[in-house]
Amino acid sequence: MTAAPSMPSPPPTPPDTDAAAFVAALRRLKAWSGLSYRQLERRAAAAGHVLPYSTAATLLGKDRLPRREVVVAFVAACGLEADEARAWLAAHLSIACGDTPAARVRAEIRPAAARRPPDSRPRRPRPRLPRRALAGAAALLAVLLGGTVANGTFTDNQEVQITRPISGADLTRE
């Protein structure tokens, strides 16, 4: 009696809930592939991508959403088919754009009056200078202006000369 050949298990599916769940699924994908970080680096290079082993290890050690290019290289190195890779990229895009189920629920829970357009941020008041600093700047300006006026920088003590063309009428007046 021979044992039936075992079917390989399907790769994990990507969640589109949040960054932490996405990275946890990437960890499961690496475990499913059975590859080391160095092997992932070599397979990504063979597929035309750049995925240093240190980047792969760092990405799986955090709960932040990785860059799209890293996800593309990672799923290619793990050996996913095109349709499976597209599903991972769609989930990545959904999380990156904030169009996740959790974000939709949070948006529905907030009252409409509390919502504001994403580009309108509350304005912070500009910091005001202390009165002593303003008084000191005014005193310094007064000293500088007083010195230039006393020096004659803003006054012109030279004789005014007429710089218009001389006509015959001007010569006969004298």
Side-chain angles (χ1 to χ4, degrees):
M1 187 167 154
T2 61
S6 64
M7 293 284 291
S9 65
T13 57
D16 64 351
T17 54
D18 64 354
F22 187 83
V23 173
L26 285 174
R27 286 184 204 111
R28 287 191 300 276
L29 180 62
K30 180 193 175 294
W32 172 84
S33 74
L35 300 171
S36 70
Y37 291 116
R38 297 268 185 187
Q39 290 170 322
L40 286 172
E41 179 180 27
R42 286 191 288 274
R43 287 186 68 174
H49 301 287
V50 176
L51 181 67
Y53 71 92
S54 59
T55 301
T58 301
L59 109 92
L60 296 181
K62 297 184 179 181
D63 285 338
R64 282 192 335 230
L65 190 66
R67 291 188 333 266
R68 180 178 174 79
E69 301 83 28
V70 174
V71 174
V72 169
F74 190 85
V75 297
C78 286
L80 294 183
E81 298 295 325
D83 291 339
E84 296 164 334
R86 275 196 283 283
W88 281 89
L89 295 177
H92 179 274
L93 181 65
S94 177
I95 295 168
C97 292
D99 189 30
T100 62
R104 279 184 242 125
V105 169
R106 282 193 303 271
E108 291 169 6
I109 291 174
R110 285 193 326 189
R115 296 182 191 145
R116 63 174 187 257
D119 61 335
S120 66
R121 292 172 286 198
R123 297 182 186 251
R124 289 184 282 155
R126 292 178 59 191
R128 299 185 67 178
L129 292 175
R131 290 185 185 190
R132 285 187 179 187
L134 291 175
L140 180 62
L141 184 61
V143 168
L144 290 174
L145 286 176
T148 54
V149 169
N151 190 21
T153 304
F154 290 135
T155 59
D156 193 8
N157 295 332
Q158 294 183 357
E159 187 176 319
V160 178
Q161 298 177 356
I162 300 175
T163 57
R164 64 186 165 124
I166 300 174
S167 65
D170 292 333
L171 295 176
T172 56
R173 265 194 237 171
E174 290 183 23

